[in-house]
Amino acid sequence: NSECLPGSCIAAIISPDKKPSEEELARECAAGLRLGSAEPDSDEEAQDKSAEKHATPETLTTQEPSDEQLKEWRELWSRAADCPQKHRTALAHVHTGPTRASYD
């Protein structure tokens, strides 16, 4: 399963004609790079982030992607948008209804 939000590369493959806004690209770039994520990458970070265990979206600080990261994300998005035409493939979003993951 994958999110198909505007600005993501999955959305670019599914709907290459729908151009995302700069804000959507920046949001998905940050999500893809896990900037400002409350999820620790290592045991040391897990100890450091113990105070954030019960953090809410309002209390978490988010980090913005750099200009270089955004440039690379735009290039990646463009490559993903070109993929269906270039490789003559198509992906479609299948609506399966509620899944177990949606209840977790």
Side-chain angles (χ1 to χ4, degrees):
N1 291 336
S2 181
E3 295 293 333
C4 301
L5 301 173
S8 70
C9 292
I10 295 296
I13 292 172
I14 293 172
S15 303
D17 297 330
K18 294 182 181 177
K19 303 286 186 211
S21 68
E22 285 298 311
E23 184 178 285
E24 291 168 333
L25 281 170
R27 182 190 65 232
E28 291 306 306
C29 178
L33 294 172
R34 300 179 196 268
L35 299 178
S37 174
E39 220 174 273
D41 292 332
S42 67
D43 289 338
E44 286 179 14
E45 284 186 38
Q47 290 173 356
D48 292 343
K49 292 188 179 244
S50 62
E52 292 182 12
K53 184 176 181 181
H54 301 288
T56 64
E58 294 79 29
T59 61
L60 286 175
T61 57
T62 58
Q63 183 180 353
E64 298 289 322
S66 69
D67 289 339
E68 183 64 30
Q69 290 168 326
L70 280 173
K71 178 182 176 218
E72 290 175 4
W73 189 262
R74 278 188 212 96
E75 290 170 5
L76 184 62
W77 190 93
S78 293
R79 288 178 48 203
D82 291 342
C83 189
Q85 180 72 25
K86 184 177 180 181
H87 298 288
R88 292 188 247 178
T89 59
L91 294 180
H93 189 185
V94 178
H95 298 282
T96 59
T99 63
R100 181 175 176 216
S102 68
Y103 296 111
D104 288 344

